[in-house]
Amino acid sequence: SQTIHQWPATLVQPVGSPLSLECTVEGTSNPNLYWYRQAAGRGLQLLFYSVGIGQISSEVPQNLSASRPQDRQFILSSKKLLLSDSGFYLCAWSMGQLNTEAFFGQGTRLTVV
Amino acid sequence: GENVEQHPSTLSVQEGDSAVIKCTYSDSASNYFPWYKQELGKRPQLIIDIRSNVGEKKDQRIAVTLNKTAKHFSLHITETQPEDSAVYFCAASMTGNQFYFGTGTSLTVIP
């Protein structure tokens, strides 16, 4: 069966520090991968999605970047965090076929102080 | 990209009553509409989905309807129970490569 791992679960970082969140998927190959951000009391904002290694699409301009160095690994990064980067970050994957659901990781609660 | 709007943002119902959450989407090319439930501090999980070739789908106390012409779809929960309390998200996908979510509805079921 397929599983998705996301870490860390919580993170407190000072403003201006770098960020690296990692997500890996097991049990499938060539998945579509996603990073979402959920601000307090708000919806799920799509940040990045990837349909293959090295293929990253950004939905919104921001202080973050994403990379996919391996088929089932998706990394969210920042060189210098801003206070506004605080939120709940969710990695997700889907089969990449039409009409199939997205499965979410456990999420990372990021607080920038 | 696709724009998904969701209403209401908060909803309180008495246990046993029905709850309805509505969503609209902007891109007529969207053809897959999942609904997710997110309990506090946890990941969203799929509860039901509907594809564009179907107008209605039901799974026990949960049903979803889709009106392609009007570009809106709705979640119906009947005989609500306290464990139904959570945040519910609708989403639309047109290619299977991107999922656009609504802003969420916080449902509270009052015992």
Side-chain angles (χ1 to χ4, degrees):
Chain A
S1 63
Q2 301 90 0
T3 57
I4 179 170
H5 302 281
Q6 183 181 344
W7 68 92
T10 59
L11 190 60
V12 180
Q13 292 284 97
V15 170
S17 64
L19 173 73
S20 180
L21 303 180
E22 189 164 342
C23 173
T24 59
V25 180
E26 297 177 355
T28 188
S29 60
N30 197 32
N32 286 348
L33 296 172
Y34 312 87
W35 279 111
Y36 287 88
R37 176 169 59 201
Q38 185 175 25
R42 301 187 64 180
L44 297 164
Q45 181 186 32
L46 179 62
L47 302 176
F48 300 95
Y49 71 96
S50 172
V51 299
I53 295 175
Q55 300 178 60
I56 310 294
S57 296
S58 174
E59 284 291 305
V60 293
Q62 57 204 306
N63 184 42
L64 303 168
S65 63
S67 61
R68 184 171 178 172
Q70 300 181 42
D71 180 45
R72 292 169 290 176
Q73 184 185 28
F74 206 23
I75 298 172
L76 183 69
S77 304
S78 173
K79 292 182 180 179
K80 291 185 178 181
L81 284 169
L82 306 172
L83 286 174
S84 57
D85 292 324
S86 293
F88 191 49
Y89 289 82
L90 288 155
C91 180
W93 74 274
S94 70
M95 289 297 292
Q97 302 164 7
L98 294 177
N99 300 332
T100 58
E101 69 179 283
F103 298 89
F104 286 87
Q106 66 175 17
T108 296
R109 175 76 58 191
L110 171 66
T111 304
V112 183
V113 296
Chain B
E2 170 71 278
N3 181 44
V4 179
E5 296 189 354
Q6 182 172 348
H7 302 279
S9 57
T10 59
L11 180 61
S12 292
V13 298
Q14 292 289 331
E15 182 177 358
D17 288 350
S18 296
V20 180
I21 302 171
K22 300 181 178 182
C23 290
T24 61
Y25 60 99
S26 61
D27 195 321
S28 56
S30 290
N31 55 14
Y32 176 61
F33 306 92
W35 285 88
Y36 286 81
K37 176 182 180 182
Q38 185 181 28
E39 298 179 349
L40 189 62
K42 297 187 177 180
R43 73 187 83 186
Q45 293 192 307
L46 181 77
I47 54 171
I48 195 169
D49 56 13
I50 191 167
R51 291 162 176 76
S52 60
N53 60 344
V54 176
E56 183 174 359
K57 182 177 179 181
K58 189 174 182 180
D59 182 4
Q60 299 182 346
R61 296 186 296 108
I62 296 174
V64 57
T65 59
L66 172 66
N67 184 326
K68 289 175 57 181
T69 302
K71 290 189 282 189
H72 67 70
F73 55 115
S74 300
L75 177 71
H76 304 253
I77 306 174
T78 59
E79 302 173 21
T80 53
Q81 302 169 1
E83 51 265 39
D84 294 330
S85 296
V87 178
Y88 291 82
F89 292 97
C90 62
S93 176
M94 65 185 81
T95 64
N97 292 333
Q98 296 151 278
F99 290 81
Y100 295 92
F101 284 83
T103 50
T105 296
S106 178
L107 172 65
T108 301
V109 179
I110 304 167

